[in-house]
């Protein structure tokens, strides 16, 4: 500033005329009021706003892109798990009728062991097997599981905000799986 230059010039002249050593430091000048003044440039609020909006828009674009990548990976994972479940449902559907047949044979064998040569009422055994078959039938549950899996895949394919819908379907799938498990006595 002009004031600082004036002090320096006066100090130089004093040191030359009076033989005073020139040992002035910036810290010495800083102690004198009004030598250095700090003034802030007026802010360009429109530029600041434009810069903030630009950075925010870029951050939002990156966030959306990251969510799309993450969502795609989750979709692939859920789909592969659904395919795994479908394989298990197919196995259950294939195995279920065999368990009834095996139960009938086991019941007949036991009855013969217990009764020996006494005649076994085949009709009564068939009735018992039918009661058992009705008790362990899981056809309704497997049909519902397949339906829920199809609904989940359709929701994933449609995209958008499907979190709540998928949560509900998962609860229904869990219900069908638990019912199937509770009816099963075959590993």
């Amino acid at each position: 500033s002009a004031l600082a230059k004036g002090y320096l010039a006066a100090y130089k002249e004093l040191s030359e005329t009076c033989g005073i050593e020139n040992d002035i430091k910036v810290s010495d000048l800083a102690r004198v009021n009004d030598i250095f003044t700090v003034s802030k440039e007026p802010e360009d609020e429109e530029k600041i706003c434009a810069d903030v909006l630009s950075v925010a828009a870029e951050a939002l674009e990156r966030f959306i892109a990251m969510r799309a990548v993450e969502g795609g990976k989750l979709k692939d994972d859920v789909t592969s798990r659904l395919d795994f479940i479908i394989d298990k449902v197919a196995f259950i559907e294939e195995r279920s009728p065999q368990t009834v047949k095996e139960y009938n044979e086991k019941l007949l064998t036991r009855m013969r062991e217990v009764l020996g040569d006494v005649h076994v009422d085949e009709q009564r055994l068939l009735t018992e097997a039918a009661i058992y078959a009705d008790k362990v039938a899981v056809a309704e549950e497997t049909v519902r599981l397949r339906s829920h899996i199809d609904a989940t895949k359709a929701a994933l394919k449609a995209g958008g905000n499907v979190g709540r819908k998928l949560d509900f379907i998962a609860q229904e799938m869990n219900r069908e799986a638990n019912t199937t498990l509770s009816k099963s006595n075959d590993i």
Side-chain angles (χ1 to χ4, degrees), residues 94-109 125-126 128-130 132-134 136 185-186:
E94 182 181 312
R95 180 77 181 122
S96 186
Q98 293 173 353
T99 61
V100 175
K101 182 180 175 189
E102 289 170 4
Y103 174 79
N104 191 28
E105 290 170 2
K106 210 182 280 185
L107 184 62
L108 183 60
T109 303
L125 286 177
L126 288 175
E128 284 296 321
Y132 176 77
D134 187 49
V136 299
N185 67 354
D186 179 70

Side-chain angles (χ1 to χ4, degrees), residues 39 72 90 100 125 149 168 173 176 179:
S39 62
V100 175
L125 286 177
I149 289 170
F168 174 76
M173 290 173 65
E176 300 307 333
T179 303

Side-chain angles (χ1 to χ4, degrees), residues 159-170:
N161 296 326
V162 295
R164 288 180 192 253
K165 183 175 188 174
L166 293 180
D167 185 45
F168 174 76
I169 296 171

Side-chain angles (χ1 to χ4, degrees), residues 10 13 28 30 53 57 104 141 161:
E13 188 178 320
D28 296 329
L53 288 176
N104 191 28
E141 287 78 10
N161 296 326

